[in-house]
Amino acid sequence: MSFKIYTKTGDSGETSLYGGLRLPKDHIRIESYGTVDELNSHVGMVRDCAQNEHLRSVLKTIQDRLFDLGANLAVDPNKNLQVPQIDELDIQLLENEIDRMSETLPALKNFILPGGHTTISFCHLARCVCRRAERNVVALSHNETVNPILIQYLNRLSDYLFTLARYFAMELKVEETAWKGK
């Protein structure tokens, strides 16, 4: 017996959360975990570009945590269902990595423009999607209970992705382009 990927249950513009609750596909909860899924794809692209095994390992861990975070958002909030949790150690990993990379980076004196190399641009795309995911989860938290650590993780992850872009620029010997206003 083969498994079919299509169920046709979403053809009317609704989808089910883990636990069975049906919501319109444009509900902020669906938008939130959909954006986290999009972010995970962008992080995967960055991981594919990374040559450094340590960074590849950290990025794989981040992808695992993003699946955990998405599971938290995709569960029916009215049911007490078990899903993997984000915790302080996950945030500490990001902070440790930011600190480790920052030790070797020149001081940031200006705003910098995204670009200079495809890998750097992919990091900035992931950072922007991460910020959107964070905004969506914050919006969700205005109407429903959201574990604050999910927002904190996304906030710290965007900092990590910014630092990673700068780290890649250093590794690739690409000069950062400072923003020059009018």
Side-chain angles (χ1 to χ4, degrees):
M1 177 182 205
S2 66
F3 172 77
K4 290 189 178 185
I5 192 69
Y6 57 89
T7 61
K8 300 183 183 182
T9 60
D11 290 353
S12 65
E14 289 189 341
T15 192
S16 294
L17 296 179
Y18 174 52
L21 178 66
R22 298 210 37 93
L23 293 175
K25 290 186 177 185
D26 63 351
H27 189 280
I28 189 63
R29 180 172 290 280
I30 309 305
E31 185 65 30
S32 294
Y33 74 72
T35 305
V36 169
D37 186 35
E38 180 184 353
L39 170 60
N40 206 335
S41 296
H42 282 280
V43 172
M45 209 162 34
V46 172
R47 184 169 58 94
D48 288 344
C49 293
Q51 301 298 310
N52 177 316
E53 263 322 299
H54 174 76
L55 291 177
R56 290 178 61 79
S57 175
V58 170
L59 289 164
K60 165 65 169 69
T61 299
I62 289 168
Q63 287 189 280
D64 288 337
R65 293 304 72 79
L66 287 173
F67 250 87
D68 295 343
L69 198 151
N72 277 266
L73 297 170
V75 71
D76 183 339
N78 301 314
K79 295 191 176 177
N80 190 18
L81 299 171
Q82 294 299 312
V83 292
Q85 296 299 309
I86 302 294
D87 60 33
E88 291 294 332
L89 290 176
D90 299 316
I91 292 170
Q92 190 62 56
L93 171 70
L94 296 175
E95 291 175 352
N96 290 345
E97 287 300 308
I98 291 167
D99 292 345
R100 184 187 64 76
M101 290 185 289
S102 294
E103 287 175 1
T104 62
L105 294 173
L108 191 60
K109 297 176 182 170
N110 303 53
F111 287 107
I112 57 171
L113 299 177
H117 189 279
T118 306
T119 303
I120 297 165
S121 296
F122 285 155
C123 282
H124 284 290
L125 281 169
R127 176 186 56 79
C128 292
V129 173
C130 188
R131 287 289 192 203
R132 179 163 31 97
E134 180 185 8
R135 290 189 304 271
N136 288 339
V137 176
V138 167
L140 176 63
S141 75
H142 292 310
N143 299 314
E144 299 184 32
T145 301
V146 171
N147 186 341
I149 202 162
L150 303 181
I151 297 167
Q152 187 180 1
Y153 185 84
L154 290 169
N155 183 271
R156 206 67 79 255
L157 179 56
S158 65
D159 295 337
Y160 169 83
L161 292 166
F162 177 79
T163 306
L164 183 61
R166 295 194 69 221
Y167 189 80
F168 279 136
M170 183 190 70
E171 270 194 343
L172 296 164
K173 298 179 179 21
V174 172
E175 186 176 337
E176 294 177 320
T177 305
W179 167 60
K180 295 181 182 165
K182 283 185 161 185

